[in-house]
Amino acid sequence: MVKTVVGDEIRLGLIEDRLSQSSLTSQVGLVIGKLSSSLDRGFVFDLVPTPPNDAGEPPCSLIETTTTKDDKKRGSRSKSQALDTSTLVIDKDWVAEHSRQVSRMLLGGMNVVGIYVWVSDSSFKNSTITLCQTVNEVGEAAAISEAGGDERLLIHICFSPRRWTCRNCTLSSNIISNSLRPCDFKMGRVLSSLQTFKCTYNFELRLPIFHDNASDVPSFSAILRQGISVHAKELRGAKAIIDGNLVVSEDSCTTDGPHEIELLVPFMKDVLVRASSQKNIAGLILFGGSVCSFAYLNPKETVLQATADIKDDIIRSLKSRLDIICDEADGGLDPIDGNSKELHKEKLSEKPVSKLVPHLLRNTCGLSFPRRVFIPWLGNAFICDYLQQSETLEILKDHCTELMSIDVPADSSIILQPEDEASLFMNKSFWDISVPRYSTPNSSSEKGGKVEKRTAESSGRKAFGLNLLAAIFFLLLSVLLGFVFVRQS
């Protein structure tokens, strides 16, 4: 359980000054930081305000409570007194959606760890249930994979009187008024003390396409999502090498500068392929590429935590790219072989990936994942965004301004683009596998099978001829050598 929360004094000081100089009576946003279960501490890097919704309305507002008869007898109240009796109304779904999109942009060791509110003390007390519900929805939208990830923070910045308070909230479907527990909050050096770890992870997964049930065939996104989840379990058990040294202890990293991490995944440990048989496989998805990953570590945390954060960042990056593709209404596969009549009839390129049926694709197809780019953020830390093949760096400006409230530097050379080629997953059909349920007499699978059969027969005849010539050669050689030995004797 997090007992103490430390906020970056420079960054949070600037945010407090900006809020105090504004005319806002309420504001809600996300808390970006890290919750360390091993240290029982939370670290706050930044507070990001939730932008207005699609209709241009603010995500939160204050409404006055109902006036009672006793209030009428007391006479009219001033504006400040009216605000003190008001409650906070929050568009919880919009704040949750904001947290979902922001979590995609965060790197290892950084998460959406809660929400903050800028509101008076009385209004805060009158809105406890609403705040707990908002924290709960934000937690569900931006999950934290670390053990004990059911805790979130609620930071209250009170403008009258001016003070910061922090409360811990456990995610639960049963929201009650006493779900918030106070925890110590203080300012300190957070961002400037972070250590940077970098990893370039190359992978290639082979995901089988099953056809057990014709009425319940999986989509591309379902197969990939399942494959990523299975690979995540293997990746978490991988050994790590940091700066050339195998990580075997829970020591802290004392050296300065960025640290390179290499992951050693167990060889040939693909559970899905080993557990499969050719009788129920219609094809294979080859899913591979290169992922560039960063993680940021507090000096008091161990190097084992750094490797865990890198692994979480890799898995989160793969899932985020898949979510982005599935969110695109016009996403689809571009067939490599343009002569396929089946692909033309089905118009698969016009369908979203989430609705594609892989085992019906009878020729090789490919889909590029968005590539990851890194934008300077706070201190020496970066955040990331994803670009489709048709998108340029110009789109980063809108994303960062709207979602993270930062300006992208005009100098594009400081934006890191280590992933030159996007990750690619491919679908190939096994033509030598009998799939009578989905094949037709004139299908290309039968033609492919006949071609392979003829090729195998031709290869067999060639092999037999070569063996016969070799036997005759050795026989003649033996006779010649025997004749020579007889003459010499």
Side-chain angles (χ1 to χ4, degrees):
M1 179 183 296
V2 174
K3 299 177 181 179
T4 304
V5 176
V6 182
D8 188 79
E9 56 186 359
I10 297 178
R11 181 61 180 173
L12 299 191
L14 293 174
I15 293 173
E16 182 180 2
D17 293 340
R18 185 183 70 243
L19 288 172
S20 62
Q21 295 172 6
S22 69
S23 59
L24 296 173
T25 57
S26 64
Q27 187 181 82
V28 65
L30 307 178
V31 179
I32 309 300
K34 184 175 187 178
L35 302 180
S36 176
S37 57
S38 59
L39 301 178
D40 291 333
R41 281 197 169 196
F43 302 97
V44 177
F45 306 142
D46 194 14
L47 305 181
V48 180
T50 299
N53 59 22
D54 294 335
E57 300 173 348
C60 70
S61 60
L62 292 171
I63 60 171
E64 295 185 9
T65 56
T66 304
T67 305
T68 62
K69 294 181 179 180
D70 293 336
D71 293 332
K72 293 180 179 179
K73 292 180 181 179
R74 293 172 188 166
S76 60
R77 298 185 175 187
S78 64
K79 181 179 180 181
S80 61
Q81 290 176 319
L83 289 175
D84 288 340
T85 61
S86 61
T87 58
L88 192 63
V89 177
I90 301 177
D91 188 346
K92 296 182 286 292
D93 293 338
W94 185 250
V95 178
E97 175 62 22
H98 181 216
S99 68
R100 185 180 73 89
Q101 296 191 34
V102 166
S103 64
R104 293 178 180 175
M105 305 179 70
L106 302 178
L107 304 180
M110 296 181 175
N111 296 284
V112 177
V113 296
I115 67 169
Y116 78 92
V117 288
W118 162 264
V119 74
S120 67
D121 190 54
S122 298
S123 299
F124 179 86
K125 293 178 180 178
N126 295 336
S127 312
T128 303
I129 298 296
T130 299
L131 292 170
C132 289
Q133 291 173 343
T134 306
V135 171
N136 203 69
E137 293 200 22
V138 165
E140 293 179 355
I144 300 177
S145 58
E146 184 182 0
D150 59 344
E151 294 181 84
R152 295 296 185 273
L153 302 180
L154 172 59
I155 294 180
H156 174 212
I157 313 172
C158 181
F159 56 76
S160 180
R162 182 77 58 81
R163 66 171 179 268
W164 292 66
T165 57
C166 183
R167 291 167 175 81
N168 191 330
C169 181
T170 302
L171 303 182
S172 173
S173 58
N174 184 22
I175 304 297
I176 56 178
S177 58
N178 59 354
S179 297
L180 300 176
R181 298 176 299 276
C183 53
D184 296 334
F185 184 82
K186 56 184 180 180
M187 301 288 187
R189 294 175 62 252
V190 178
L191 287 169
S192 59
S193 62
L194 293 177
Q195 294 180 324
T196 304
F197 294 81
K198 180 183 178 181
C199 175
T200 300
Y201 179 66
N202 301 310
F203 70 100
E204 182 175 305
L205 307 181
R206 292 171 173 82
L207 310 177
I209 303 171
F210 299 98
H211 57 79
D212 290 333
N213 188 353
S215 62
D216 186 22
V217 290
S219 62
F220 260 110
S221 59
I223 296 175
L224 286 173
R225 205 174 300 279
Q226 175 65 18
I228 293 173
S229 299
V230 172
H231 186 62
K233 297 179 182 179
E234 297 182 3
L235 186 61
R236 297 190 197 284
K239 299 297 183 180
I241 297 177
I242 298 182
D243 297 334
N245 300 315
L246 182 65
V247 177
V248 294
S249 62
E250 297 186 1
D251 297 332
S252 300
C253 189
T254 57
T255 57
D256 298 329
H259 305 280
E260 293 287 339
I261 293 184
E262 297 179 48
L263 298 179
L264 306 177
V265 182
F267 180 67
M268 293 298 291
K269 196 178 179 182
D270 195 337
V271 179
L272 287 178
V273 172
R274 288 191 299 134
S276 305
S277 64
Q278 290 187 347
K279 294 181 180 179
N280 62 343
I281 298 180
L284 184 72
I285 291 180
L286 300 181
F287 177 40
S290 180
V291 176
C292 183
S293 173
F294 283 89
Y296 299 96
L297 192 73
N298 185 274
K300 295 184 179 180
E301 295 180 290
T302 65
V303 290
L304 288 178
Q305 185 61 51
T307 60
D309 291 341
I310 281 286
K311 295 172 184 178
D312 290 340
D313 181 63
I314 293 172
I315 298 302
R316 182 167 62 181
S317 177
L318 292 178
K319 291 182 178 179
S320 296
R321 300 179 207 226
L322 181 57
D323 290 338
I324 292 172
I325 291 178
C326 292
D327 289 343
E328 293 290 335
D330 57 347
L333 285 176
D334 295 326
I336 296 176
D337 181 8
N339 297 324
S340 175
K341 295 181 179 180
E342 291 186 11
L343 290 179
H344 179 71
K345 291 179 180 180
E346 294 292 334
K347 297 182 180 180
L348 293 176
S349 61
E350 298 180 3
K351 290 185 177 181
V353 174
S354 57
K355 295 182 179 180
L356 289 176
V357 181
H359 75 269
L360 295 180
L361 300 176
R362 307 309 297 175
N363 64 335
T364 302
C365 298
L367 177 72
S368 295
F369 267 33
R371 61 188 178 95
R372 197 181 202 186
V373 296
F374 301 90
I375 306 103
W377 186 40
L378 302 175
N380 295 323
F382 285 81
I383 57 175
C384 73
D385 204 352
Y386 299 94
L387 296 179
Q388 300 277 25
Q389 286 185 331
S390 60
E391 295 176 336
T392 63
L393 295 178
E394 295 297 327
I395 199 172
L396 299 179
K397 181 177 180 181
D398 295 334
H399 287 178
C400 292
T401 302
E402 181 180 8
L403 298 178
M404 298 295 295
S405 294
I406 63 171
D407 295 328
V408 176
D411 184 8
S412 60
S413 62
I414 63 176
I415 298 177
L416 304 183
Q417 303 182 61
E419 297 182 2
D420 295 332
E421 295 182 1
S423 300
L424 176 72
F425 78 76
M426 300 179 66
N427 169 58
K428 289 186 177 180
S429 296
F430 291 146
W431 303 122
D432 57 339
I433 293 180
S434 176
V435 193
R437 187 183 305 173
Y438 300 114
S439 61
T440 60
N442 297 324
S443 66
S444 58
S445 60
E446 277 194 7
K447 296 179 182 178
K450 292 178 181 179
V451 170
E452 289 190 357
K453 184 177 181 180
R454 288 195 296 268
T455 304
E457 293 176 353
S458 177
S459 300
R461 288 194 295 268
K462 290 180 180 179
F464 176 76
L466 290 175
N467 292 335
L468 182 59
L469 290 176
I472 295 173
F473 172 77
F474 283 111
L475 179 59
L476 293 175
L477 181 62
S478 300
V479 173
L480 181 61
L481 291 176
F483 179 74
V484 171
F485 289 145
V486 170
R487 287 178 62 88
Q488 290 178 353
S489 60

